[in-house]
Amino acid sequence: EVRFEESGGGSVQVGGSLRLSCIASGFTFDDSGMRWYRRAPGNECELVSTINSDGRTYYQDSVKGRFTISQDVAKNTVYLQMNALKPEDTAVYYCAAGFLPSSSGCAGHWGQGTQVSVSS
């Protein structure tokens, strides 16, 4: 069974940092790319960042230069280091494997997500 255990969220002030972690299980981690999504209240789910099995990364324009995605294949874990946080980063963050439908990125089918709240 595919599962994701997200953690590391919290409440920080503008300019603060958080490091999200996601432990994946139920599939071959090192063959699959990983993604971070987020959903802010009243907004649609959006793709934040991805990392391919070969290490190539993608970032949404709004987080470029502030967020860094990485992975530890030995631990089946993907991370999202978030620096210089802004109020607009407030959302529930979800991780997912690249082979899963992007339309279900924030559905919470495979993980509960982790709440990030940034206050000014």
mmCIF file of all heavy atoms in Angstrom, residues 20 34-40 44-51 57-69 78-83 85 88-96 102 105-106 114 116:
data_model
loop_
_atom_site.group_PDB
_atom_site.id
_atom_site.type_symbol
_atom_site.label_atom_id
_atom_site.label_comp_id
_atom_site.label_asym_id
_atom_site.label_seq_id
_atom_site.Cartn_x
_atom_site.Cartn_y
_atom_site.Cartn_z
ATOM 1 N N LEU A 20 10.430 20.366 5.749
ATOM 2 C CA LEU A 20 9.430 19.316 5.685
ATOM 3 C C LEU A 20 10.092 17.993 5.307
ATOM 4 O O LEU A 20 11.036 17.966 4.519
ATOM 5 C CB LEU A 20 8.353 19.656 4.657
ATOM 6 C CG LEU A 20 7.660 21.011 4.802
ATOM 7 C CD1 LEU A 20 6.541 21.119 3.775
ATOM 8 C CD2 LEU A 20 7.144 21.221 6.201
ATOM 9 N N MET A 34 9.577 12.284 -6.992
ATOM 10 C CA MET A 34 8.722 12.710 -5.893
ATOM 11 C C MET A 34 8.308 14.155 -6.082
ATOM 12 O O MET A 34 9.020 14.938 -6.722
ATOM 13 C CB MET A 34 9.448 12.544 -4.555
ATOM 14 C CG MET A 34 9.717 11.096 -4.164
ATOM 15 S SD MET A 34 8.208 10.168 -3.844
ATOM 16 C CE MET A 34 7.614 11.003 -2.370
ATOM 17 N N ARG A 35 7.160 14.495 -5.516
ATOM 18 C CA ARG A 35 6.606 15.834 -5.678
ATOM 19 C C ARG A 35 6.129 16.369 -4.339
ATOM 20 O O ARG A 35 5.702 15.593 -3.482
ATOM 21 C CB ARG A 35 5.410 15.810 -6.638
ATOM 22 C CG ARG A 35 5.723 15.275 -8.025
ATOM 23 C CD ARG A 35 4.460 15.077 -8.823
ATOM 24 N NE ARG A 35 4.736 14.576 -10.172
ATOM 25 C CZ ARG A 35 3.797 14.146 -11.002
ATOM 26 N NH1 ARG A 35 2.530 14.153 -10.639
ATOM 27 N NH2 ARG A 35 4.135 13.719 -12.206
ATOM 28 N N TRP A 36 6.184 17.670 -4.197
ATOM 29 C CA TRP A 36 5.520 18.368 -3.097
ATOM 30 C C TRP A 36 4.427 19.234 -3.698
ATOM 31 O O TRP A 36 4.651 19.985 -4.646
ATOM 32 C CB TRP A 36 6.491 19.249 -2.322
ATOM 33 C CG TRP A 36 7.373 18.514 -1.371
ATOM 34 C CD1 TRP A 36 8.667 18.134 -1.558
ATOM 35 C CD2 TRP A 36 7.021 18.072 -0.051
ATOM 36 N NE1 TRP A 36 9.140 17.486 -0.454
ATOM 37 C CE2 TRP A 36 8.155 17.435 0.495
ATOM 38 C CE3 TRP A 36 5.862 18.154 0.736
ATOM 39 C CZ2 TRP A 36 8.166 16.880 1.779
ATOM 40 C CZ3 TRP A 36 5.875 17.609 1.995
ATOM 41 C CH2 TRP A 36 7.017 16.979 2.520
ATOM 42 N N TYR A 37 3.224 19.133 -3.103
ATOM 43 C CA TYR A 37 2.086 19.965 -3.463
ATOM 44 C C TYR A 37 1.684 20.783 -2.235
ATOM 45 O O TYR A 37 2.077 20.472 -1.102
ATOM 46 C CB TYR A 37 0.883 19.103 -3.860
ATOM 47 C CG TYR A 37 1.042 18.265 -5.088
ATOM 48 C CD1 TYR A 37 1.577 16.979 -5.014
ATOM 49 C CD2 TYR A 37 0.623 18.724 -6.333
ATOM 50 C CE1 TYR A 37 1.701 16.188 -6.149
ATOM 51 C CE2 TYR A 37 0.731 17.935 -7.472
ATOM 52 C CZ TYR A 37 1.266 16.673 -7.371
ATOM 53 O OH TYR A 37 1.381 15.894 -8.498
ATOM 54 N N ARG A 38 0.849 21.769 -2.457
ATOM 55 C CA ARG A 38 0.273 22.508 -1.339
ATOM 56 C C ARG A 38 -1.107 23.036 -1.710
ATOM 57 O O ARG A 38 -1.402 23.266 -2.877
ATOM 58 C CB ARG A 38 1.168 23.668 -0.892
ATOM 59 C CG ARG A 38 1.269 24.823 -1.893
ATOM 60 C CD ARG A 38 2.263 25.857 -1.392
ATOM 61 N NE ARG A 38 2.412 26.979 -2.330
ATOM 62 C CZ ARG A 38 3.304 27.940 -2.187
ATOM 63 N NH1 ARG A 38 4.160 27.936 -1.158
ATOM 64 N NH2 ARG A 38 3.366 28.920 -3.080
ATOM 65 N N ARG A 39 -1.937 23.210 -0.664
ATOM 66 C CA ARG A 39 -3.254 23.795 -0.852
ATOM 67 C C ARG A 39 -3.476 24.809 0.247
ATOM 68 O O ARG A 39 -3.503 24.461 1.428
ATOM 69 C CB ARG A 39 -4.352 22.751 -0.829
ATOM 70 C CG ARG A 39 -5.762 23.375 -0.850
ATOM 71 C CD ARG A 39 -6.832 22.332 -0.898
ATOM 72 N NE ARG A 39 -7.034 21.871 -2.262
ATOM 73 C CZ ARG A 39 -7.582 20.695 -2.561
ATOM 74 N NH1 ARG A 39 -7.941 19.875 -1.604
ATOM 75 N NH2 ARG A 39 -7.752 20.357 -3.818
ATOM 76 N N ALA A 40 -3.622 26.051 -0.153
ATOM 77 C CA ALA A 40 -3.950 27.117 0.783
ATOM 78 C C ALA A 40 -5.469 27.200 0.926
ATOM 79 O O ALA A 40 -6.199 26.793 0.016
ATOM 80 C CB ALA A 40 -3.399 28.447 0.268
ATOM 81 N N GLU A 44 -6.844 26.350 -5.034
ATOM 82 C CA GLU A 44 -6.670 25.028 -5.625
ATOM 83 C C GLU A 44 -5.323 24.439 -5.209
ATOM 84 O O GLU A 44 -4.412 25.156 -4.801
ATOM 85 C CB GLU A 44 -6.758 25.129 -7.148
ATOM 86 C CG GLU A 44 -8.118 25.544 -7.661
ATOM 87 C CD GLU A 44 -8.201 25.535 -9.171
ATOM 88 O OE1 GLU A 44 -7.154 25.346 -9.824
ATOM 89 O OE2 GLU A 44 -9.310 25.725 -9.698
ATOM 90 N N CYS A 45 -5.218 23.153 -5.378
ATOM 91 C CA CYS A 45 -3.952 22.470 -5.141
ATOM 92 C C CYS A 45 -2.931 22.931 -6.174
ATOM 93 O O CYS A 45 -3.268 23.088 -7.363
ATOM 94 C CB CYS A 45 -4.175 20.967 -5.253
ATOM 95 S SG CYS A 45 -2.730 19.960 -4.874
ATOM 96 N N GLU A 46 -1.700 23.164 -5.738
ATOM 97 C CA GLU A 46 -0.668 23.559 -6.679
ATOM 98 C C GLU A 46 0.611 22.762 -6.450
ATOM 99 O O GLU A 46 0.946 22.404 -5.325
ATOM 100 C CB GLU A 46 -0.377 25.063 -6.589
ATOM 101 C CG GLU A 46 0.040 25.560 -5.231
ATOM 102 C CD GLU A 46 0.302 27.060 -5.225
ATOM 103 O OE1 GLU A 46 0.142 27.714 -6.269
ATOM 104 O OE2 GLU A 46 0.678 27.585 -4.167
ATOM 105 N N LEU A 47 1.287 22.506 -7.559
ATOM 106 C CA LEU A 47 2.550 21.797 -7.512
ATOM 107 C C LEU A 47 3.645 22.774 -7.082
ATOM 108 O O LEU A 47 3.805 23.830 -7.677
ATOM 109 C CB LEU A 47 2.876 21.220 -8.889
ATOM 110 C CG LEU A 47 4.190 20.464 -9.028
ATOM 111 C CD1 LEU A 47 4.200 19.213 -8.159
ATOM 112 C CD2 LEU A 47 4.440 20.101 -10.483
ATOM 113 N N VAL A 48 4.382 22.410 -6.055
ATOM 114 C CA VAL A 48 5.418 23.283 -5.529
ATOM 115 C C VAL A 48 6.793 22.923 -6.087
ATOM 116 O O VAL A 48 7.529 23.782 -6.550
ATOM 117 C CB VAL A 48 5.451 23.211 -3.991
ATOM 118 C CG1 VAL A 48 6.587 24.082 -3.439
ATOM 119 C CG2 VAL A 48 4.114 23.640 -3.406
ATOM 120 N N SER A 49 7.124 21.655 -6.028
ATOM 121 C CA SER A 49 8.457 21.235 -6.428
ATOM 122 C C SER A 49 8.463 19.750 -6.752
ATOM 123 O O SER A 49 7.647 18.998 -6.225
ATOM 124 C CB SER A 49 9.453 21.526 -5.292
ATOM 125 O OG SER A 49 10.766 21.167 -5.650
ATOM 126 N N THR A 50 9.382 19.353 -7.618
ATOM 127 C CA THR A 50 9.549 17.936 -7.939
ATOM 128 C C THR A 50 11.031 17.586 -7.979
ATOM 129 O O THR A 50 11.882 18.459 -8.201
ATOM 130 C CB THR A 50 8.938 17.564 -9.296
ATOM 131 O OG1 THR A 50 9.706 18.181 -10.351
ATOM 132 C CG2 THR A 50 7.494 18.009 -9.405
ATOM 133 N N ILE A 51 11.315 16.325 -7.766
ATOM 134 C CA ILE A 51 12.664 15.804 -7.944
ATOM 135 C C ILE A 51 12.545 14.473 -8.666
ATOM 136 O O ILE A 51 11.766 13.606 -8.256
ATOM 137 C CB ILE A 51 13.425 15.684 -6.607
ATOM 138 C CG1 ILE A 51 14.871 15.253 -6.857
ATOM 139 C CG2 ILE A 51 12.711 14.764 -5.624
ATOM 140 C CD1 ILE A 51 15.769 15.441 -5.639
ATOM 141 N N THR A 57 15.494 18.687 -10.675
ATOM 142 C CA THR A 57 14.478 19.335 -9.851
ATOM 143 C C THR A 57 13.689 20.377 -10.634
ATOM 144 O O THR A 57 14.135 20.895 -11.660
ATOM 145 C CB THR A 57 15.117 20.015 -8.629
ATOM 146 O OG1 THR A 57 16.072 20.988 -9.082
ATOM 147 C CG2 THR A 57 15.800 19.004 -7.735
ATOM 148 N N TYR A 58 12.503 20.651 -10.114
ATOM 149 C CA TYR A 58 11.630 21.692 -10.652
ATOM 150 C C TYR A 58 11.064 22.476 -9.474
ATOM 151 O O TYR A 58 10.765 21.901 -8.418
ATOM 152 C CB TYR A 58 10.481 21.070 -11.454
ATOM 153 C CG TYR A 58 9.285 21.996 -11.579
ATOM 154 C CD1 TYR A 58 9.229 22.953 -12.584
ATOM 155 C CD2 TYR A 58 8.238 21.925 -10.668
ATOM 156 C CE1 TYR A 58 8.152 23.819 -12.676
ATOM 157 C CE2 TYR A 58 7.159 22.788 -10.755
ATOM 158 C CZ TYR A 58 7.118 23.731 -11.763
ATOM 159 O OH TYR A 58 6.051 24.582 -11.849
ATOM 160 N N TYR A 59 10.932 23.784 -9.659
ATOM 161 C CA TYR A 59 10.319 24.624 -8.641
ATOM 162 C C TYR A 59 9.304 25.562 -9.286
ATOM 163 O O TYR A 59 9.554 26.130 -10.351
ATOM 164 C CB TYR A 59 11.370 25.475 -7.923
ATOM 165 C CG TYR A 59 12.400 24.668 -7.182
ATOM 166 C CD1 TYR A 59 13.629 24.367 -7.761
ATOM 167 C CD2 TYR A 59 12.148 24.200 -5.900
ATOM 168 C CE1 TYR A 59 14.578 23.613 -7.096
ATOM 169 C CE2 TYR A 59 13.094 23.444 -5.218
ATOM 170 C CZ TYR A 59 14.297 23.156 -5.824
ATOM 171 O OH TYR A 59 15.230 22.397 -5.158
ATOM 172 N N GLN A 60 8.208 25.722 -8.600
ATOM 173 C CA GLN A 60 7.237 26.751 -8.992
ATOM 174 C C GLN A 60 7.931 28.108 -8.881
ATOM 175 O O GLN A 60 8.752 28.320 -7.986
ATOM 176 C CB GLN A 60 6.046 26.671 -8.035
ATOM 177 C CG GLN A 60 4.951 27.651 -8.287
ATOM 178 C CD GLN A 60 3.985 27.712 -7.128
ATOM 179 O OE1 GLN A 60 4.066 28.628 -6.332
ATOM 180 N NE2 GLN A 60 3.086 26.757 -7.023
ATOM 181 N N ASP A 61 7.593 29.023 -9.778
ATOM 182 C CA ASP A 61 8.278 30.315 -9.805
ATOM 183 C C ASP A 61 8.250 31.029 -8.457
ATOM 184 O O ASP A 61 9.228 31.672 -8.066
ATOM 185 C CB ASP A 61 7.641 31.223 -10.860
ATOM 186 C CG ASP A 61 8.054 30.853 -12.272
ATOM 187 O OD1 ASP A 61 9.002 30.068 -12.431
ATOM 188 O OD2 ASP A 61 7.422 31.341 -13.216
ATOM 189 N N SER A 62 7.164 30.924 -7.735
ATOM 190 C CA SER A 62 7.017 31.682 -6.489
ATOM 191 C C SER A 62 7.941 31.197 -5.384
ATOM 192 O O SER A 62 8.124 31.899 -4.376
ATOM 193 C CB SER A 62 5.565 31.645 -6.008
ATOM 194 O OG SER A 62 5.218 30.352 -5.562
ATOM 195 N N VAL A 63 8.521 30.007 -5.530
ATOM 196 C CA VAL A 63 9.382 29.479 -4.463
ATOM 197 C C VAL A 63 10.840 29.343 -4.904
ATOM 198 O O VAL A 63 11.694 28.969 -4.096
ATOM 199 C CB VAL A 63 8.871 28.116 -3.946
ATOM 200 C CG1 VAL A 63 7.399 28.212 -3.536
ATOM 201 C CG2 VAL A 63 9.092 27.005 -4.957
ATOM 202 N N LYS A 64 11.114 29.644 -6.169
ATOM 203 C CA LYS A 64 12.493 29.532 -6.656
ATOM 204 C C LYS A 64 13.427 30.411 -5.839
ATOM 205 O O LYS A 64 13.111 31.562 -5.546
ATOM 206 C CB LYS A 64 12.560 29.942 -8.129
ATOM 207 C CG LYS A 64 12.058 28.892 -9.091
ATOM 208 C CD LYS A 64 12.192 29.355 -10.531
ATOM 209 C CE LYS A 64 11.673 28.305 -11.502
ATOM 210 N NZ LYS A 64 11.722 28.768 -12.904
ATOM 211 N N GLY A 65 14.571 29.846 -5.462
ATOM 212 C CA GLY A 65 15.541 30.591 -4.679
ATOM 213 C C GLY A 65 15.273 30.557 -3.185
ATOM 214 O O GLY A 65 16.120 30.982 -2.399
ATOM 215 N N ARG A 66 14.104 30.071 -2.791
ATOM 216 C CA ARG A 66 13.758 30.012 -1.364
ATOM 217 C C ARG A 66 13.596 28.572 -0.867
ATOM 218 O O ARG A 66 13.915 28.262 0.272
ATOM 219 C CB ARG A 66 12.461 30.770 -1.095
ATOM 220 C CG ARG A 66 12.520 32.237 -1.452
ATOM 221 C CD ARG A 66 11.277 32.977 -0.968
ATOM 222 N NE ARG A 66 10.039 32.493 -1.588
ATOM 223 C CZ ARG A 66 9.007 31.996 -0.902
ATOM 224 N NH1 ARG A 66 9.050 31.910 0.410
ATOM 225 N NH2 ARG A 66 7.912 31.597 -1.545
ATOM 226 N N PHE A 67 13.063 27.709 -1.720
ATOM 227 C CA PHE A 67 12.818 26.314 -1.354
ATOM 228 C C PHE A 67 13.839 25.409 -2.035
ATOM 229 O O PHE A 67 14.252 25.674 -3.170
ATOM 230 C CB PHE A 67 11.421 25.877 -1.785
ATOM 231 C CG PHE A 67 10.283 26.493 -1.019
ATOM 232 C CD1 PHE A 67 10.472 27.556 -0.155
ATOM 233 C CD2 PHE A 67 9.002 25.978 -1.170
ATOM 234 C CE1 PHE A 67 9.416 28.123 0.537
ATOM 235 C CE2 PHE A 67 7.934 26.523 -0.474
ATOM 236 C CZ PHE A 67 8.142 27.609 0.371
ATOM 237 N N THR A 68 14.204 24.323 -1.356
ATOM 238 C CA THR A 68 15.104 23.330 -1.926
ATOM 239 C C THR A 68 14.560 21.937 -1.647
ATOM 240 O O THR A 68 14.314 21.595 -0.491
ATOM 241 C CB THR A 68 16.518 23.446 -1.344
ATOM 242 O OG1 THR A 68 17.025 24.769 -1.560
ATOM 243 C CG2 THR A 68 17.451 22.438 -2.004
ATOM 244 N N ILE A 69 14.377 21.162 -2.711
ATOM 245 C CA ILE A 69 13.921 19.780 -2.564
ATOM 246 C C ILE A 69 15.131 18.857 -2.615
ATOM 247 O O ILE A 69 16.092 19.102 -3.366
ATOM 248 C CB ILE A 69 12.892 19.423 -3.665
ATOM 249 C CG1 ILE A 69 12.222 18.084 -3.373
ATOM 250 C CG2 ILE A 69 13.537 19.438 -5.044
ATOM 251 C CD1 ILE A 69 11.039 17.778 -4.300
ATOM 252 N N VAL A 78 11.873 12.208 1.215
ATOM 253 C CA VAL A 78 12.066 13.430 0.439
ATOM 254 C C VAL A 78 11.870 14.608 1.382
ATOM 255 O O VAL A 78 11.060 14.546 2.307
ATOM 256 C CB VAL A 78 11.098 13.503 -0.759
ATOM 257 C CG1 VAL A 78 9.645 13.533 -0.316
ATOM 258 C CG2 VAL A 78 11.414 14.685 -1.662
ATOM 259 N N TYR A 79 12.652 15.651 1.169
ATOM 260 C CA TYR A 79 12.634 16.818 2.029
ATOM 261 C C TYR A 79 12.269 18.063 1.221
ATOM 262 O O TYR A 79 12.469 18.122 0.012
ATOM 263 C CB TYR A 79 14.011 17.034 2.668
ATOM 264 C CG TYR A 79 14.529 15.857 3.426
ATOM 265 C CD1 TYR A 79 15.427 14.961 2.850
ATOM 266 C CD2 TYR A 79 14.138 15.610 4.747
ATOM 267 C CE1 TYR A 79 15.910 13.869 3.538
ATOM 268 C CE2 TYR A 79 14.622 14.528 5.449
ATOM 269 C CZ TYR A 79 15.503 13.656 4.838
ATOM 270 O OH TYR A 79 15.980 12.578 5.532
ATOM 271 N N LEU A 80 11.768 19.060 1.928
ATOM 272 C CA LEU A 80 11.573 20.375 1.335
ATOM 273 C C LEU A 80 12.056 21.410 2.341
ATOM 274 O O LEU A 80 11.401 21.635 3.358
ATOM 275 C CB LEU A 80 10.109 20.620 0.968
ATOM 276 C CG LEU A 80 9.850 21.903 0.172
ATOM 277 C CD1 LEU A 80 10.476 21.787 -1.223
ATOM 278 C CD2 LEU A 80 8.352 22.182 0.056
ATOM 279 N N GLN A 81 13.221 21.969 2.070
ATOM 280 C CA GLN A 81 13.759 23.035 2.913
ATOM 281 C C GLN A 81 13.145 24.336 2.441
ATOM 282 O O GLN A 81 13.283 24.703 1.258
ATOM 283 C CB GLN A 81 15.284 23.089 2.795
ATOM 284 C CG GLN A 81 15.928 24.221 3.587
ATOM 285 C CD GLN A 81 15.787 24.050 5.077
ATOM 286 O OE1 GLN A 81 16.000 22.962 5.608
ATOM 287 N NE2 GLN A 81 15.420 25.126 5.770
ATOM 288 N N MET A 82 12.478 25.025 3.344
ATOM 289 C CA MET A 82 11.782 26.264 3.002
ATOM 290 C C MET A 82 12.378 27.415 3.792
ATOM 291 O O MET A 82 12.317 27.414 5.028
ATOM 292 C CB MET A 82 10.284 26.128 3.298
ATOM 293 C CG MET A 82 9.648 24.896 2.658
ATOM 294 S SD MET A 82 7.853 24.860 2.850
ATOM 295 C CE MET A 82 7.717 24.770 4.629
ATOM 296 N N ASN A 83 12.960 28.355 3.106
ATOM 297 C CA ASN A 83 13.572 29.530 3.720
ATOM 298 C C ASN A 83 12.838 30.795 3.284
ATOM 299 O O ASN A 83 12.074 30.775 2.319
ATOM 300 C CB ASN A 83 15.046 29.637 3.328
ATOM 301 C CG ASN A 83 15.862 28.442 3.770
ATOM 302 O OD1 ASN A 83 15.604 27.841 4.813
ATOM 303 N ND2 ASN A 83 16.873 28.097 2.989
ATOM 304 N N LEU A 85 10.319 32.376 4.381
ATOM 305 C CA LEU A 85 8.898 32.083 4.219
ATOM 306 C C LEU A 85 8.063 33.356 4.210
ATOM 307 O O LEU A 85 8.378 34.343 4.893
ATOM 308 C CB LEU A 85 8.425 31.143 5.324
ATOM 309 C CG LEU A 85 8.841 29.677 5.103
ATOM 310 C CD1 LEU A 85 8.758 28.887 6.400
ATOM 311 C CD2 LEU A 85 7.974 29.046 4.029
ATOM 312 N N GLU A 88 2.041 34.010 2.030
ATOM 313 C CA GLU A 88 1.410 33.268 0.930
ATOM 314 C C GLU A 88 1.896 31.827 0.820
ATOM 315 O O GLU A 88 1.370 31.061 0.008
ATOM 316 C CB GLU A 88 1.607 33.990 -0.399
ATOM 317 C CG GLU A 88 3.036 34.361 -0.703
ATOM 318 C CD GLU A 88 3.348 35.810 -0.327
ATOM 319 O OE1 GLU A 88 2.934 36.236 0.771
ATOM 320 O OE2 GLU A 88 4.021 36.489 -1.130
ATOM 321 N N ASP A 89 2.886 31.448 1.623
ATOM 322 C CA ASP A 89 3.306 30.049 1.677
ATOM 323 C C ASP A 89 2.437 29.232 2.630
ATOM 324 O O ASP A 89 2.575 28.006 2.703
ATOM 325 C CB ASP A 89 4.770 29.935 2.126
ATOM 326 C CG ASP A 89 5.732 30.559 1.138
ATOM 327 O OD1 ASP A 89 5.550 30.366 -0.078
ATOM 328 O OD2 ASP A 89 6.682 31.234 1.590
ATOM 329 N N THR A 90 1.567 29.903 3.374
ATOM 330 C CA THR A 90 0.676 29.210 4.298
ATOM 331 C C THR A 90 -0.223 28.245 3.538
ATOM 332 O O THR A 90 -0.928 28.629 2.607
ATOM 333 C CB THR A 90 -0.184 30.224 5.071
ATOM 334 O OG1 THR A 90 0.669 31.026 5.896
ATOM 335 C CG2 THR A 90 -1.217 29.519 5.938
ATOM 336 N N ALA A 91 -0.165 26.973 3.923
ATOM 337 C CA ALA A 91 -0.923 25.936 3.222
ATOM 338 C C ALA A 91 -0.693 24.603 3.925
ATOM 339 O O ALA A 91 0.171 24.484 4.795
ATOM 340 C CB ALA A 91 -0.465 25.831 1.773
ATOM 341 N N VAL A 92 -1.472 23.616 3.522
ATOM 342 C CA VAL A 92 -1.170 22.240 3.884
ATOM 343 C C VAL A 92 -0.306 21.672 2.765
ATOM 344 O O VAL A 92 -0.670 21.772 1.590
ATOM 345 C CB VAL A 92 -2.444 21.398 4.065
ATOM 346 C CG1 VAL A 92 -2.068 19.958 4.417
ATOM 347 C CG2 VAL A 92 -3.327 21.991 5.149
ATOM 348 N N TYR A 93 0.818 21.097 3.136
ATOM 349 C CA TYR A 93 1.768 20.562 2.168
ATOM 350 C C TYR A 93 1.666 19.037 2.143
ATOM 351 O O TYR A 93 1.640 18.384 3.196
ATOM 352 C CB TYR A 93 3.191 20.980 2.523
ATOM 353 C CG TYR A 93 3.479 22.429 2.219
ATOM 354 C CD1 TYR A 93 2.882 23.446 2.964
ATOM 355 C CD2 TYR A 93 4.312 22.787 1.164
ATOM 356 C CE1 TYR A 93 3.127 24.782 2.669
ATOM 357 C CE2 TYR A 93 4.569 24.120 0.872
ATOM 358 C CZ TYR A 93 3.966 25.110 1.631
ATOM 359 O OH TYR A 93 4.204 26.431 1.331
ATOM 360 N N TYR A 94 1.631 18.502 0.928
ATOM 361 C CA TYR A 94 1.533 17.067 0.716
ATOM 362 C C TYR A 94 2.673 16.602 -0.170
ATOM 363 O O TYR A 94 3.089 17.318 -1.083
ATOM 364 C CB TYR A 94 0.228 16.706 0.003
ATOM 365 C CG TYR A 94 -1.033 17.103 0.722
ATOM 366 C CD1 TYR A 94 -1.577 18.369 0.566
ATOM 367 C CD2 TYR A 94 -1.701 16.187 1.539
ATOM 368 C CE1 TYR A 94 -2.743 18.730 1.203
ATOM 369 C CE2 TYR A 94 -2.881 16.543 2.185
ATOM 370 C CZ TYR A 94 -3.386 17.813 2.013
ATOM 371 O OH TYR A 94 -4.548 18.167 2.652
ATOM 372 N N CYS A 95 3.138 15.399 0.066
ATOM 373 C CA CYS A 95 4.088 14.821 -0.879
ATOM 374 C C CYS A 95 3.393 13.675 -1.622
ATOM 375 O O CYS A 95 2.382 13.141 -1.163
ATOM 376 C CB CYS A 95 5.346 14.331 -0.189
ATOM 377 S SG CYS A 95 5.122 12.869 0.834
ATOM 378 N N ALA A 96 3.922 13.344 -2.761
ATOM 379 C CA ALA A 96 3.362 12.254 -3.567
ATOM 380 C C ALA A 96 4.431 11.742 -4.513
ATOM 381 O O ALA A 96 5.388 12.454 -4.840
ATOM 382 C CB ALA A 96 2.144 12.730 -4.357
ATOM 383 N N SER A 102 -1.537 13.713 -10.816
ATOM 384 C CA SER A 102 -1.332 15.038 -10.233
ATOM 385 C C SER A 102 -2.630 15.628 -9.708
ATOM 386 O O SER A 102 -2.615 16.453 -8.795
ATOM 387 C CB SER A 102 -0.713 15.968 -11.271
ATOM 388 O OG SER A 102 -1.538 16.060 -12.417
ATOM 389 N N GLY A 105 -2.995 15.283 -5.982
ATOM 390 C CA GLY A 105 -1.846 15.697 -5.179
ATOM 391 C C GLY A 105 -2.189 16.161 -3.774
ATOM 392 O O GLY A 105 -1.437 15.942 -2.840
ATOM 393 N N CYS A 106 -3.326 16.824 -3.610
ATOM 394 C CA CYS A 106 -3.718 17.350 -2.302
ATOM 395 C C CYS A 106 -4.937 16.621 -1.734
ATOM 396 O O CYS A 106 -5.568 17.104 -0.805
ATOM 397 C CB CYS A 106 -4.041 18.841 -2.398
ATOM 398 S SG CYS A 106 -2.672 19.870 -2.962
ATOM 399 N N THR A 114 1.009 18.193 5.996
ATOM 400 C CA THR A 114 1.536 18.903 7.155
ATOM 401 C C THR A 114 1.262 20.391 6.982
ATOM 402 O O THR A 114 1.489 20.949 5.906
ATOM 403 C CB THR A 114 3.041 18.604 7.357
ATOM 404 O OG1 THR A 114 3.494 19.189 8.571
ATOM 405 C CG2 THR A 114 3.900 19.100 6.211
ATOM 406 N N VAL A 116 1.610 24.322 7.275
ATOM 407 C CA VAL A 116 2.601 25.392 7.398
ATOM 408 C C VAL A 116 1.840 26.705 7.510
ATOM 409 O O VAL A 116 1.000 27.018 6.667
ATOM 410 C CB VAL A 116 3.536 25.423 6.178
ATOM 411 C CG1 VAL A 116 4.421 26.674 6.212
ATOM 412 C CG2 VAL A 116 4.390 24.169 6.130
#
